[in-house]
Amino acid sequence: MDHGIQAAELFLQGYNCAQSVFLAFSDVTGLDNELALRLSSSFGGGLGRMREVCGAVSGMAMVVGLLYGYDKPNDDETKKAHYARVQELAGKFREQAGSIICRELLDHPASDPAPSARTEQYYKDRPCARFVMLAGNILDEYMAQHPVENPKCGN
């Protein structure tokens, strides 16, 4: 499955950037759609429209945590390897998009919490569909090179 295309399609249906990426990978994570959407809902607009880390990057990091993350707080080697993985993926996104910060990607400062109307003009002006596709593609490439040991981890 091409998760990048799926993420872009989800964004164009009205889901936020983080939801679009996270939900696109539900076939791999095993999470049901409602849970995936609720878990990722806070990260849209650069964390609740504060324009911080891009929601596409946050969604990618959430998928990576489910698939490759650690669960033992004192396993420093595993923790270090996981953080390096997240930094690598975020670095690839930054390299291709120019930043991982929402306000820099959109050239918009932080805004009020009210979501923007999803109009034809909104989609025309926003590069977000491209960014969620990029995050999905980066993660697909990573997964192809690093097979998941425990697919469908949400089951």
Side-chain angles (χ1 to χ4, degrees), residues 89-122:
L89 294 168
K92 286 184 180 188
F93 186 94
R94 181 186 291 114
E95 182 181 294
Q96 295 179 50
S99 180
I100 65 167
I101 304 301
C102 177
R103 71 178 156 274
E104 294 172 4
L105 292 166
L106 298 182
D107 197 25
H108 288 278
S111 56
D112 69 59
S116 299
R118 295 294 184 99
T119 63
E120 184 178 328
Q121 190 64 41
Y122 172 92

Side-chain angles (χ1 to χ4, degrees), residues 60-74:
M60 182 172 57
M62 292 175 69
V63 172
V64 168
L66 276 172
L67 300 180
Y68 303 96
Y70 65 91
D71 58 2
K72 295 177 182 42
N74 298 320

Side-chain angles (χ1 to χ4, degrees), residues 1-8 10 17-33 36-37 40 56-68 89 131-144 148 150-154:
M1 169 179 287
D2 187 324
H3 293 102
I5 290 174
Q6 171 103 20
L10 289 164
C17 41
Q19 288 176 314
S20 298
V21 173
F22 196 57
L23 183 59
F25 285 88
S26 63
D27 65 310
V28 180
T29 66
L31 293 179
D32 82 18
N33 290 354
L37 290 167
S40 56
V57 175
S58 295
M60 182 172 57
M62 292 175 69
V63 172
V64 168
L66 276 172
L67 300 180
Y68 303 96
L89 294 168
F131 294 141
V132 299
M133 181 180 290
L134 174 60
N137 291 342
I138 289 169
L139 194 47
D140 272 342
E141 182 180 307
Y142 184 87
M143 290 170 53
V148 179
N150 185 20
K152 302 255 183 189
C153 56

